[in-house]
Amino acid sequence: VKTHGVNQDITERKQAEERFSKSNAKYQTIFETTGTATMIVEEDCTILLANKECLRLTGFSLSDLLGQKWTQYVAPESLQIMLQNHNLRRQDISAVPKKYEVKLIDKKGEIHFSILNIEMIPETTQSIVSILDITDQKKANEELKASEIKFKTIFENIQDVYYETKLDGTIIEISPSIQNVSKDKRHELIGKKVLDFYADHKRRNILMEILREKGYVEDFDISLIGKEGNLQRFTLTSKFLYDKDNKPCGT
């Protein structure tokens, strides 16, 4: 009976070891194949493991990273907030945001804008650090912002009158330069129909016919009615605006 009990204990232990091995292999596969740069770090920020995506992002080899403090790859301007959150996590994990933005430095010295997601591993002193690289997104946002500033500067300083309408002729935007040629103010015109200002409504219809045929009109003569009923002559250059499906949505 004693021998049978020993054999049973060994069998159960072997089965447990096999389950652990399979489980460990499964999580190792997930760790390596995830598209997010991921590290396992000790409480003192020592890197214990890093996946392939982490190596690609940083440019370092696994041997370069293992045993190193991952804080040395954090840009100086981000290091203080990262260390504050790290120390606070030791005291009260609920008080620390799981995700926050930092700048990381790769092997070439280039900056990567990144979102850190840090999760404590239960019953250990270790954490899983996931790094989402948002550098391209940041650059795109900065370029968009610069473009918007440039457009706003041009928009507010052009001498010609620039305006946009819906297909039905409703004015949705008009440059401040309108006040150079009319007593109407910009905010008074937005929301009104451009047709209301045409001295000859047929000219508007002809304009739209040419737009539908060619997609643009150059130096088109029009007469508009001013705020006090006076007639003013202009030449107009116009083209369609298109929506995301490449369908005309305005002029």
Side-chain angles (χ1 to χ4, degrees):
V1 176
K2 184 176 181 181
T3 302
H4 175 72
V6 172
N7 289 339
Q8 186 175 8
D9 289 343
I10 293 174
T11 300
E12 290 177 353
R13 189 181 72 215
K14 285 286 186 182
Q15 290 174 344
E17 287 175 352
E18 287 177 5
R19 287 196 299 270
F20 174 79
S21 179
K22 289 180 180 179
S23 176
N24 191 47
K26 179 176 68 174
Y27 288 111
Q28 181 70 22
T29 300
I30 294 172
F31 180 78
E32 284 297 343
T33 58
T34 179
T36 304
T38 307
M39 297 183 293
I40 295 179
V41 301
E42 191 49 87
E43 189 176 24
D44 64 357
C45 297
T46 300
I47 300 173
L48 303 177
L49 194 60
N51 68 357
K52 292 177 182 178
E53 186 62 23
C54 188
L55 305 184
R56 186 201 63 78
L57 174 64
T58 63
F60 291 99
S61 67
L62 185 59
S63 59
D64 289 333
L65 296 177
L66 295 185
Q68 300 297 315
K69 297 286 200 294
W70 73 281
T71 48
Q72 66 182 294
Y73 308 112
V74 179
E77 58 267 36
S78 297
L79 187 57
Q80 184 176 0
I81 186 172
M82 202 283 292
L83 290 176
Q84 285 176 348
N85 286 337
H86 179 73
N87 293 330
L88 185 58
R89 185 177 289 105
R90 292 177 174 180
Q91 303 167 24
D92 182 6
I93 191 171
S94 63
V96 184
K98 287 185 178 181
K99 296 182 180 181
Y100 56 92
E101 185 177 323
V102 298
K103 296 178 183 178
L104 299 180
I105 307 173
D106 67 14
K107 190 174 184 178
K108 296 180 181 179
E110 296 179 354
I111 294 293
H112 292 264
F113 293 92
S114 306
I115 300 291
L116 294 187
N117 185 359
I118 302 177
E119 294 280 355
M120 297 290 292
I121 301 176
E123 300 179 5
T124 73
T125 57
Q126 301 168 5
S127 300
I128 297 178
V129 180
S130 298
I131 306 167
L132 178 62
D133 188 1
I134 59 170
T135 304
D136 290 343
Q137 178 185 333
K138 275 279 187 180
K139 287 181 179 178
N141 289 341
E142 288 173 1
E143 289 172 0
L144 177 60
K145 186 176 180 180
S147 178
E148 288 174 345
I149 292 172
K150 183 178 180 180
F151 172 78
K152 184 179 180 182
T153 301
I154 295 172
F155 180 75
E156 292 180 349
N157 290 280
I158 57 173
Q159 296 304 305
D160 292 335
V161 177
Y162 171 87
Y163 68 94
E164 295 178 7
T165 73
K166 296 180 181 179
L167 286 180
D168 66 0
T170 301
I171 299 171
I172 57 177
E173 185 58 276
I174 191 165
S175 61
S177 54
I178 184 62
Q179 292 181 217
N180 298 335
V181 298
S182 170
K183 292 185 178 181
D184 293 289
K185 294 182 179 179
R186 177 173 172 272
H187 70 272
E188 294 174 336
L189 297 176
I190 293 176
K192 292 187 176 180
K193 295 290 180 67
V194 71
L195 188 62
D196 295 341
F197 303 98
Y198 272 72
D200 183 356
H201 288 193
K202 292 180 181 178
R203 293 297 289 169
R204 167 72 179 175
N205 295 334
I206 294 171
L207 170 68
M208 294 305 294
E209 286 176 8
I210 298 173
L211 275 177
R212 281 189 285 269
E213 180 183 344
K214 295 185 176 181
Y216 68 94
V217 174
E218 290 183 323
D219 298 328
F220 187 80
D221 290 326
I222 57 173
S223 294
L224 300 180
I225 304 171
K227 192 170 186 178
E228 296 178 345
N230 56 309
L231 288 181
Q232 293 177 284
R233 294 192 64 185
F234 298 93
T235 58
L236 180 147
T237 295
S238 182
K239 66 178 182 178
F240 276 128
L241 297 173
Y242 295 90
D243 61 19
K244 62 181 181 179
D245 298 318
N246 204 35
K247 294 180 179 180
C249 61
T251 65

